Amino acid sequence: SLMVLFAEQQIFRQEAWQQISIKTPPWPDMAIITLISAAAALCLPRQFHMMVLEYPKKQDGLKTASWGFPLYLVLINLFVVPVAMIGSDMFGQTPMPADLYLLAVPSAVQAEWLAVLALLGGFSAATAMILVTSFALSTMITNEVMVPTVLTFSSRGDRFDARKLVIYRRAAIVLILLSSYMAYRWMAHDRGLAEIGLVSFAGVAQFAPPLVAAVLWQKASKKGAVIGLSMGLLSWVCLVMVPELGLGMPQLALEHWF
């Protein structure tokens, strides 16, 4: 609402609606993006960590979450259309990414304090997301990869030192952050945050079918889940990840063999 008050634009003009309609993907693409985003909201490590591991066992908050979470999603998206319309009207002819509209609009109308407030809010949200994601992924890597590997190659008479879990998790966090930075340096030079996020959403959405099937389908099996995940992740790598990295399949093959 503050963005609308401080922006000296008429966002409900017909020209503004036409301009943003041109940049809006067709409805089949929007339906697919919405489905992928909904699957990612369920399957992302940070979402799973907060919903399952951090769920208060002694409190019955499931009923509240059943309407509170959808309401939260609706409220935070109420301002997307006004901000997008104002930003497109003010900066549509410039190469400015749409991700910066929330900072550029108040700065353009001499409301620097609002830009600083938006920057601090975004920085706080990004920091929390990185912390929770790193902790959730490090826990998964430690429990499912590092510890089983150590137990496999250790002698039968040796006892596992649980104090080493802290070292393993710290090493996993460092590995995750370094990998994330390398991916950012490789992919983000000419792409916006939303485009990079959609690539990640498409990858993590592969976990949605086996997760839903395990809850709703009694005949679902581990073998079917593994096969489905393998085929889905392979398709994601070949059809989404490789093109995003700028490597076509023929080029990738030539570089591998020659």
Side-chain angles (χ1 to χ4, degrees):
S1 60
L2 291 175
M3 297 290 296
V4 178
L5 292 175
F6 280 97
E8 299 175 356
Q9 304 291 327
Q10 298 178 1
I11 65 171
F12 296 106
R13 293 180 307 166
Q14 184 177 0
E15 295 82 359
W17 282 100
Q18 291 177 349
Q19 186 174 8
I20 198 172
S21 298
I22 295 175
K23 298 182 179 181
T24 302
W27 69 265
D29 296 348
M30 288 295 297
I32 294 174
I33 293 174
T34 302
L35 180 62
I36 292 176
S37 301
L42 179 66
C43 301
L44 279 172
R46 63 176 182 270
Q47 299 292 125
F48 185 83
H49 178 83
M50 297 304 297
M51 288 190 300
V52 179
L53 298 183
E54 297 293 336
Y55 179 76
K57 301 299 188 299
K58 297 182 179 180
Q59 300 179 10
D60 187 15
L62 188 59
K63 294 182 179 180
T64 304
S66 63
W67 61 265
F69 184 66
L71 179 62
Y72 164 75
L73 294 178
V74 171
L75 291 178
I76 65 174
N77 284 282
L78 286 178
F79 308 103
V80 172
V81 174
V83 172
M85 295 184 66
I86 295 172
S88 298
D89 196 16
M90 297 177 67
F91 310 104
Q93 305 301 325
T94 65
M96 178 180 297
D99 299 330
L100 299 179
Y101 285 172
L102 199 60
L103 301 177
V105 171
S107 299
V109 295
Q110 287 77 45
E112 287 78 8
W113 66 270
L114 186 57
V116 173
L117 187 63
L119 177 63
L120 292 177
F123 183 78
S124 174
T127 303
M129 182 179 64
I130 292 173
L131 290 175
V132 176
T133 302
S134 300
F135 182 78
L137 287 176
S138 65
T139 302
M140 295 178 183
I141 293 174
T142 302
N143 294 345
E144 304 297 335
V145 178
M146 291 185 172
V147 172
T149 303
V150 172
L151 293 177
T152 300
F153 290 99
S154 61
S155 303
R156 293 187 177 181
D158 296 341
R159 297 183 60 183
F160 179 74
D161 189 359
R163 293 174 296 181
K164 293 182 179 180
L165 282 175
V166 178
I167 300 176
Y168 296 155
R169 287 187 179 179
R170 290 175 179 174
I173 290 175
V174 172
L175 180 63
I176 291 167
L177 295 178
L178 288 177
S179 302
S180 302
Y181 180 72
M182 292 175 60
Y184 164 76
R185 295 290 297 178
W186 198 345
M187 296 177 56
H189 55 90
D190 59 347
R191 292 171 177 84
L193 179 62
E195 298 178 19
I196 301 174
L198 190 58
V199 174
S200 303
F201 284 7
V204 79
Q206 308 302 321
F207 294 94
L211 182 62
V212 175
V215 177
L216 302 179
W217 189 26
Q218 294 182 354
K219 296 183 179 180
S221 63
K222 177 182 177 180
K223 183 178 179 180
V226 171
I227 294 176
L229 280 175
S230 301
M231 297 300 295
L233 292 176
L234 180 62
S235 302
W236 172 72
V237 171
C238 296
L239 301 178
V240 180
M241 195 65 184
V242 170
E244 282 295 322
L245 295 177
L247 301 174
M249 293 306 294
Q251 178 184 356
L252 186 63
L254 289 175
E255 290 180 356
H256 176 73
W257 292 108
F258 300 99

